[in-house]
Amino acid sequence: MQSPLPVRDGVNATRLRLPDEGPWETAMDYMMHRWGHIDPQGIEDRFDAGEIVGEAGIALDRSTPMQDHTFIWYYRTLPPESRIPVELNILHQDDHLLVVDKPHFLPTTPGGTYIQESALVRLRNQLGLPDLIPMHRLDRMTAGILLLSTNPETRGKYQVLFEKRQVQKEYECVSAAEPAPGHPAVDFPVVVRNRMTKSRSYLLAEVVDGEPNAETRIERLRTFDASGAPNSGAPDGGAPDSAPDVDGGPHRRALYRLEPHSGKTHQLRVHMASLGLGIVNDAFYPELLDKAPDNYAKPLQLLARGIRFVDPISGSPVEYRSRLELSEAR
């Protein structure tokens, strides 16, 4: 359902569904029930100013009966936010698409404590494009290629590509060169398939029994020690004959290419962890760490490297690739 209120300061108006029944006589009574303990005067002021609207943009006042509207829209009061010290880089822009390199730590869309400090709101304000909409999402901690639609009239053509899985994505990550103790050796390339689920009330994604709904192809590109120097010994840059020095010497790591054939939440992080190869600086998998302030010097070593598809407007194959590099892979 399209909002009757325009985007303001890069942020969409909030939509609220009014209940079919209850002890509230007016829409304002219900809003006071929900949020009156936070800002009762602000709610009254918005009704008086006609800033809360129903269907067709009809302004509500203090006496509007609750049953007059099913949905109402209003602008939230946005709390001040500290700027996240990262920048977006525009890679491509035309009449239909915007392609950017999203940095680590910046969420794709507004949510929680991040509203103005999201890629979508930043770009809407920077480019003056209130109709900008992301075609897919990257986790806040994942960097790389992000596609956004600039044209509502052609947006559906690109959405169909994602819905029908006609978009090929490629990621890179840095992890240990060998699985953690207790995990078997891996013969690369390998395809991981399992069934994943994630509820709104549970922070982590889980692997459960059942028909697989998540699949990732994983390839090891090269190995190196923690200082970034490539290892020698294996034809693919893989494991040399000697074991890593566990007493303080160089720890062997590897750069991996990940090709997901599904799009479950945290899929790549879960699949790497399931092999005993948790991604460097992952605070969720294989072990959930205590919440801590963002450490901008230690971003999650996961990058959306590229995306390719047949453009539905031109009919030609296109590919967009990130110009970012994983800090631990240098």
Side-chain angles (χ1 to χ4, degrees):
M1 181 179 295
Q2 186 170 354
S3 171
L5 293 176
V7 171
R8 187 169 76 178
D9 296 328
V11 182
N12 295 84
T14 296
R15 185 182 73 175
L16 173 68
R17 183 186 179 96
L18 298 177
D20 295 329
E21 57 184 22
W24 313 282
E25 295 184 359
T26 67
M28 192 179 82
D29 289 340
Y30 181 66
M31 289 197 72
M32 284 293 191
H33 165 74
R34 292 286 300 270
W35 295 290
H37 63 289
I38 298 175
D39 185 19
Q41 187 61 53
I43 293 174
E44 292 179 349
D45 292 344
R46 291 182 188 188
F47 275 99
D48 293 342
E51 293 183 352
I52 299 177
V53 305
E55 289 87 345
I58 298 172
L60 282 62
D61 59 33
R62 297 190 186 205
S63 62
T64 301
M66 191 171 68
Q67 63 268 21
D68 280 9
H69 297 274
T70 303
F71 294 97
I72 61 176
W73 287 262
Y74 61 96
Y75 295 112
R76 288 179 291 169
T77 299
L78 301 180
E81 297 179 55
S82 298
R83 184 172 177 83
I84 299 174
V86 295
E87 300 299 330
L88 285 151
N89 292 315
I90 296 175
L91 304 178
H92 171 83
Q93 184 176 358
D94 59 32
D95 293 337
H96 309 285
L97 282 181
L98 175 69
V99 185
V100 301
D101 253 339
K102 186 192 83 66
H104 296 284
F105 301 104
L106 190 70
T108 297
T109 56
T113 59
Y114 304 99
I115 306 298
Q116 295 290 333
E117 284 303 287
S118 63
L120 178 60
V121 174
R122 275 199 192 183
L123 290 166
R124 281 176 171 178
N125 290 330
Q126 175 185 338
L127 302 175
L129 295 173
D131 290 326
L132 198 63
I133 292 293
M135 291 289 89
H136 60 114
R137 296 191 182 190
L138 295 178
D139 287 344
R140 187 172 80 89
M141 293 303 183
T142 303
I145 289 290
L146 178 66
L147 267 64
L148 303 99
S149 165
T150 61
N151 188 341
E153 295 182 1
T154 59
R155 182 167 298 152
K157 296 180 182 294
Y158 292 95
Q159 289 174 328
V160 167
L161 296 180
F162 285 90
E163 291 169 0
K164 293 187 175 181
R165 297 184 181 177
Q166 294 175 346
V167 175
Q168 289 75 51
K169 300 177 183 178
E170 176 188 340
Y171 290 75
E172 290 176 1
C173 75
V174 174
S175 181
E178 301 296 336
H183 291 266
V186 181
D187 185 17
F188 293 103
V190 65
V191 175
V192 178
R193 296 185 185 92
N194 52 31
R195 185 166 190 83
M196 290 179 54
T197 183
K198 185 177 185 299
S199 69
R200 291 181 179 273
S201 60
Y202 187 59
L203 184 63
L204 302 181
E206 295 180 287
V207 175
V208 297
D209 293 333
E211 185 71 20
N213 62 359
E215 177 180 322
T216 306
R217 182 183 184 274
I218 302 172
E219 178 182 358
R220 187 170 63 188
L221 299 178
R222 61 182 175 87
T223 62
F224 51 91
D225 63 37
S227 66
N231 271 308
S232 60
D236 65 347
D241 293 335
S242 60
D245 182 352
V246 296
D247 296 321
H251 295 283
R252 293 175 52 251
R253 289 181 176 171
L255 178 67
Y256 297 88
R257 175 186 293 128
L258 313 175
E259 296 176 339
H261 298 285
S262 50
K264 297 300 179 182
T265 300
H266 293 176
Q267 175 179 319
L268 302 179
R269 298 160 73 170
V270 170
H271 281 181
M272 287 297 293
S274 72
L275 298 177
L277 297 168
I279 298 174
V280 172
N281 298 334
D282 191 344
F284 282 16
Y285 309 97
E287 180 183 357
L288 179 62
L289 304 181
D290 292 337
K291 184 174 177 57
D294 289 340
N295 184 343
Y296 298 111
K298 293 186 176 182
L300 174 71
Q301 294 298 288
L302 179 61
L303 173 69
R305 171 59 70 192
I307 191 167
R308 62 186 185 275
F309 53 91
V310 175
D311 190 281
I313 306 300
S314 68
S316 301
V318 294
E319 182 174 9
Y320 302 103
R321 297 190 68 78
S322 173
R323 298 173 186 169
L324 300 175
E325 297 295 337
L326 293 171
S327 58
E328 296 292 337
R330 294 173 183 170

